[in-house]
Amino acid sequence: MKKRCYDKVYNAHKKWALFVMAFFMFITILSPAYVTPASAIEVVSGSAITGQAVYSEALGSLRSYKDRPVITGYFSFRGASSIKDQRERFFYSDGFFSDPATVYDEHLATMSMCLAGSAMSSYDGAAIDYPTKSCNVRELLDRIGCTDVCVNADFMVKPGEDTIGVCLGRKKIEVNGEEFTLIPIGIRGAGYEKEWIGNMKVGSEGDALGFRKACDRAKETVDAYLKKYNIDSTKTKFWIAGFSRAGAVTDLLTAALTDAYDPTGANVYGYSFATPQGAYNKSRSYPNSHCTINSSDAVPMVVPSYMGFSHYGDDVLIEDRSEEFKSYRMGVDYAVDVGGFKVPQDIHFSETDKYPTQRAYLEELMNAIQGAVAPDRQAFSTQKVEGGDTVEQILAKLMKFLMTSESEHVAEVADAVSGFKDRLGFDGLLKLSEMVDAVKEGINTLDKEKRDEIYAATWIWFKPGFESSLSKEEFENLGKMWESMVYVVFEIAHYDYVHSGREGFALIGTMMKNLALIGGAHNPEKYLTMVKQRDNFYMNEVGNPVARTDEVFRIGESGDVNAVVYSEGKPVAVISEGRMEAAHDGSVCTLRLSDKGSELKETGDGILYTNPASDNERAITMAPDRDYKVVLIAGDRGEDVEFQKWTDESGKELSQSETFEISVNHGKASYTLIKPVYRTVPKPTPVPPTPVPENQPNETPGGIPGWIWIVAGGVLAGGGAGGAFYARKRIRKKNNG
């Protein structure tokens, strides 16, 4: 009986000792003296890790440039070979701005031509819906990740003589570990109507007057944008692009922004194309302004170098290797009658090697203008010819016709001009003989009556051809300037006769035979093709340019959503906070739900217009010819907010996982809207700290010192063990007794 009783005491003490030791070891581990502070532990759910891994892996697998992702997409622009907007591919990367602006980058050059093309006045909206005309450039800026896209007031109304359309936005970029605000600036370079008059306003002093006025208006727009959005100009990279007239404004604006905000020019990137010369006797150069010139283009020469004009930036000359250009001379065939009197019989054209290239021809044409009718700036811009237009006005109207007309139209007019000989008749041939003499001697040697006879006769010859090939407006304008233009042509022909010698009228003959080519050298399509040939991003293009794809679904609260889009098992696009971060082939894009010109509203300063609607619900568009898988990843809003669920357009819960996968089959998705829902994390009620007695330096604040727990546990455990051993000893003694 006693043995059983001692055994019970032993087992009880043994169990007690083990329990007490385990309990106090657990308490000791949790003691504040040994616990790692909760703030030092990063708790990440498995789905969040998976989502971040998916995002990072996809981003790393797509093309990059200087360690920055590349966005491949499509944009629209106003071309010269069509009456509707054309579609082309672009490649954009924040890495384009890694080097200083003084370093020419062939990829940024091509992207700048895309920006310049998109900034041309769109064919959309017919002829009177001017707020819609900026749709292409606003779309492009949105697709490369810009926010707060604005246009100036000039882009909202019918263009005038000195107006200039400007569109700009902003984007945060990281360059070499430093954050900047990138401000792309697209200048309207085609479809600007009366602004053509401003093109040829040279003025009597300083920079070319028309370009300078437009530049000042553009800079006013940029200054207003910086002020509107409180942008630190010392942490800003300006990127400016423009074509033709807008190219001249881009060159001048690059210099102006450099002087105002960054004297080194490192952060002002100017890329202009078909750039007329607007800088007059410049005091310094701006190597951050890159002026791309097609060697065969006449427009960059129209404001002549011999008057002291140039570009503020450096010329990037691209050789046009077209073999279509041929030099011709125009001659007159005579028959000799019995009396020895020469009667003109016909006009003929024959090839010559007088001008080996179109550029050589254009340079000689400018020499003829200088030598024949405009020896200096004053004569060029202020002296009226035959009481009508000035030389600069005549050239402006000629250039407007060449550069705004379709190539087929220009060719039709050229045929009508060169075919005038078929309408001469015998009386005309006799009159032609007098005109040839006037060319040889110079029309300025004839009295006014004789000159008027020449004007009347030539109008009779050319009128039927012009009337049949020109529009009503073009024909009326030509009639108003006929006398001034014929005078200039005769004086250039006189220069031609004197300098061509036996070659005959090479300047006139070459002009009449190459009218369409001269105009075609200025086409934006031509420039885009030429810069693409120097850019290896375009060597392995995937697919063909496509029309705008249809909306597939929308992302609500898009600023909190990242996404990866897969096609055929491979990532083709990565979306960051609702905007495109990287794209493989342009078949996927994100965009505003609605961004029509009618939705643009004045920001309050009379200069800027923007779309005030919220941009936090964005559309995802995809090419309808393939299947996609889209992995949506909920973002992190911080410590006090946590992700709760994904919902559809009706508010129905779809998933509580931070990643959510959907399928898109040939442009069809299961949902029209997918939205993440978040909730605020309740803050725990703070517990007052336990008062700490004085003179207790070894205690841990907020709890009993760990060593006390250890000692107490040891004493109790030891007591239990001692009792067990004592009971065991009494049992053995009893048994032995």
Side-chain angles (χ1 to χ4, degrees):
M1 179 69 178
K2 289 183 178 180
K3 180 178 182 300
R4 289 197 300 271
C5 200
Y6 282 127
D7 285 341
K8 288 181 180 180
V9 172
Y10 169 76
N11 290 331
H13 277 276
K14 182 179 178 182
K15 290 178 181 179
W16 170 254
L18 293 174
F19 171 76
V20 169
M21 291 180 68
F23 175 77
F24 279 98
M25 287 178 65
F26 178 72
I27 292 297
T28 300
I29 292 172
L30 295 182
S31 172
Y34 296 92
V35 172
T36 303
S39 61
I41 298 177
E42 182 178 2
V43 181
V44 183
S45 69
S47 61
I49 294 174
T50 302
Q52 182 58 43
V54 167
Y55 178 89
S56 300
E57 181 182 358
L59 194 60
S61 69
L62 296 177
R63 186 202 301 260
S64 66
Y65 181 69
K66 296 187 177 179
D67 298 324
R68 306 304 299 164
V70 173
I71 299 174
T72 304
Y74 294 96
F75 75 102
S76 298
F77 72 102
R78 180 192 185 105
S81 58
S82 174
I83 58 173
K84 63 180 181 179
D85 291 341
Q86 300 183 42
R87 203 75 170 156
E88 262 291 355
R89 190 188 310 275
F90 71 82
F91 292 87
Y92 168 84
S93 173
D94 293 347
F96 294 162
F97 305 96
S98 297
D99 291 328
T102 52
V103 178
Y104 179 84
D105 187 302
E106 68 274 12
H107 306 303
L108 180 54
T110 315
M111 185 63 214
S112 297
M113 183 58 213
C114 296
L115 175 57
S118 72
M120 297 173 183
S121 185
S122 170
Y123 282 115
D124 286 355
I128 58 174
D129 189 6
Y130 289 102
T132 303
K133 299 300 183 181
S134 62
C135 61
N136 292 334
V137 64
R138 287 186 285 111
E139 177 194 67
L140 178 60
L141 293 188
D142 182 81
R143 291 194 172 189
I144 64 174
C146 289
T147 60
D148 300 317
V149 176
C150 294
V151 299
N152 68 342
D154 287 351
F155 230 140
M156 299 290 291
V157 298
K158 184 178 178 64
E161 291 185 13
D162 298 314
T163 59
I164 185 73
V166 180
C167 180
L168 64 176
R170 61 172 173 162
K171 179 183 184 183
K172 291 294 183 183
I173 66 172
E174 183 179 307
V175 177
N176 302 322
E178 189 175 0
E179 189 175 87
F180 289 87
T181 298
L182 174 68
I183 300 182
I185 305 169
I187 311 294
R188 180 173 60 198
Y192 40 66
E193 302 180 29
K194 286 187 177 180
E195 288 175 4
W196 266 104
I197 299 174
N199 286 1
M200 297 306 301
K201 286 185 177 179
V202 175
S204 58
E205 59 183 8
D207 292 342
L209 183 61
F211 298 143
R212 171 50 58 191
K213 284 185 175 181
C215 171
D216 291 344
R217 292 174 75 95
K219 185 176 183 298
E220 183 183 37
T221 301
V222 177
D223 293 341
Y225 191 84
L226 293 174
K227 181 179 179 181
K228 166 70 178 176
Y229 294 105
N230 194 27
I231 298 172
D232 181 1
S233 61
T234 65
K235 288 291 185 180
T236 297
K237 288 181 177 285
F238 299 93
W239 169 33
I240 316 152
F243 176 85
S244 192
R245 177 181 190 255
V249 176
T250 294
D251 183 42
L252 269 64
L253 183 60
T254 301
L257 294 180
T258 300
D259 291 343
Y261 299 116
D262 183 20
T264 68
N267 292 318
V268 183
Y269 297 75
Y271 282 80
S272 57
F273 304 87
T275 316
Q277 300 180 130
Y280 183 72
N281 288 342
K282 61 183 180 183
S283 59
R284 62 161 286 191
S285 294
Y286 294 80
N288 54 322
S289 178
H290 309 283
C291 306
T292 301
I293 308 297
N294 173 8
S295 62
S296 298
D297 192 355
V299 171
M301 301 181 181
V302 169
V303 182
S305 299
Y306 75 80
M307 295 180 187
F309 290 101
S310 64
H311 299 126
Y312 273 114
D314 295 335
D315 289 358
V316 181
L317 190 67
I318 302 180
E319 291 293 336
D320 187 353
R321 304 189 182 280
S322 172
E323 298 180 357
E324 297 178 22
F325 175 84
K326 290 183 174 60
S327 179
Y328 289 88
R329 66 184 179 92
M330 184 180 74
V332 180
D333 295 327
Y334 293 93
V336 181
D337 66 1
V338 178
F341 179 70
K342 290 185 177 180
V343 179
Q345 293 294 303
D346 196 8
I347 295 175
H348 69 269
F349 295 90
S350 57
E351 289 189 26
T352 175
D353 58 1
K354 178 74 173 179
Y355 309 113
T357 64
Q358 190 162 311
R359 184 170 185 82
Y361 168 74
L362 294 173
E363 289 173 346
E364 180 61 18
L365 182 60
M366 295 311 300
N367 291 336
I369 291 174
Q370 178 185 9
V373 291
D376 53 36
R377 182 173 184 172
Q378 296 299 324
F380 182 78
S381 61
T382 63
Q383 293 182 11
K384 294 184 177 181
V385 179
E386 291 290 53
D389 292 333
T390 63
V391 175
E392 76 173 28
Q393 289 172 332
I394 294 171
L395 286 178
K397 292 175 181 178
L398 175 61
M399 289 297 106
K400 179 181 180 180
F401 167 73
L402 288 177
M403 308 316 160
T404 61
S405 303
E406 296 180 38
S407 56
E408 293 82 0
H409 181 48
V410 176
E412 179 187 5
V413 176
D415 289 341
V417 172
S418 62
F420 79 98
K421 61 183 181 180
D422 299 328
R423 297 184 292 273
L424 288 178
F426 183 76
D427 291 340
L429 288 173
L430 293 177
K431 199 67 177 179
L432 180 61
S433 181
E434 296 180 15
M435 293 181 185
V436 171
D437 291 338
V439 167
K440 292 178 180 178
E441 300 297 328
I443 194 172
N444 62 347
T445 63
L446 302 178
D447 57 34
K448 186 65 169 67
E449 183 179 354
K450 287 291 186 183
R451 297 202 302 272
D452 287 343
E453 290 179 5
I454 291 176
Y455 302 146
T458 52
W459 181 245
I460 291 173
W461 296 345
F462 289 101
K463 178 182 176 181
F466 282 131
E467 197 167 19
S468 64
S469 60
L470 294 175
S471 69
K472 181 179 180 181
E473 181 182 4
E474 289 170 338
F475 181 73
E476 290 177 352
N477 290 334
L478 180 64
K480 294 176 183 178
M481 61 178 286
W482 184 254
E483 293 185 6
S484 300
M485 189 184 72
V486 171
Y487 181 93
V488 170
V489 170
F490 266 72
E491 285 299 276
I492 292 176
H494 174 64
Y495 177 96
D496 193 9
Y497 174 78
V498 172
H499 290 81
S500 293
R502 293 183 178 180
E503 286 295 323
F505 299 103
L507 273 175
I508 300 297
T510 301
M511 169 67 80
M512 295 177 72
K513 283 292 188 178
N514 291 278
L515 199 61
L517 279 178
I518 293 171
H522 188 68
N523 286 357
E525 297 97 320
K526 181 90 169 180
Y527 272 84
L528 183 57
T529 298
M530 294 178 78
V531 293
K532 282 169 58 177
Q533 290 172 349
R534 299 156 60 98
D535 184 347
N536 61 18
F537 278 2
Y538 289 85
M539 292 179 63
N540 298 304
E541 292 188 48
V542 179
N544 297 312
V546 295
R548 291 180 177 86
T549 52
D550 293 331
E551 176 185 321
V552 176
F553 67 94
R554 301 178 184 182
I555 298 179
E557 299 295 330
S558 62
D560 297 311
V561 179
N562 295 339
V564 179
V565 183
Y566 297 86
S567 180
E568 298 180 352
K570 298 179 180 179
V572 294
V574 174
I575 298 167
S576 175
E577 298 178 354
R579 295 181 179 274
M580 193 63 68
E581 178 76 4
H584 170 61
D585 61 6
S587 66
V588 179
C589 72
T590 69
L591 68 160
R592 292 187 68 113
L593 298 182
S594 180
D595 198 19
K596 299 176 182 178
S598 58
E599 295 167 336
L600 301 178
K601 306 298 180 185
E602 184 183 342
T603 62
D605 53 15
I607 298 175
L608 300 174
Y609 285 74
T610 190
N611 189 337
S614 172
D615 192 24
N616 203 30
E617 183 179 314
R618 294 180 63 81
I620 305 296
T621 69
M622 299 178 181
D625 59 349
R626 68 181 84 171
D627 297 334
Y628 297 91
K629 180 182 76 173
V630 184
V631 178
L632 301 177
I633 306 165
D636 184 2
R637 285 191 176 183
E639 294 181 358
D640 299 333
V641 180
E642 67 180 5
F643 170 78
Q644 184 179 9
K645 59 185 177 181
W646 295 97
T647 63
D648 63 12
E649 56 272 12
S650 67
K652 177 183 176 182
E653 180 178 312
L654 301 176
S655 171
Q656 293 184 359
S657 172
E658 292 183 10
T659 60
F660 182 65
E661 180 180 316
I662 64 173
S663 297
V664 178
N665 300 317
H666 287 73
K668 296 181 180 180
S670 302
Y671 313 98
T672 58
L673 172 67
I674 302 176
K675 176 181 178 180
V677 177
Y678 292 80
R679 62 187 171 193
T680 302
V681 179
K683 294 184 178 180
T685 304
V687 179
T690 304
V692 180
E694 296 182 0
N695 301 321
Q696 300 288 338
N698 293 327
E699 290 186 358
T700 301
I704 299 174
W707 66 269
I708 293 179
W709 288 106
I710 295 173
V711 171
V715 170
L716 293 175
F725 282 116
Y726 174 75
R728 185 64 174 172
K729 183 177 180 181
R730 291 293 302 270
I731 293 171
R732 286 178 179 176
K733 186 176 180 181
K734 182 71 175 176
N735 292 336
N736 291 333

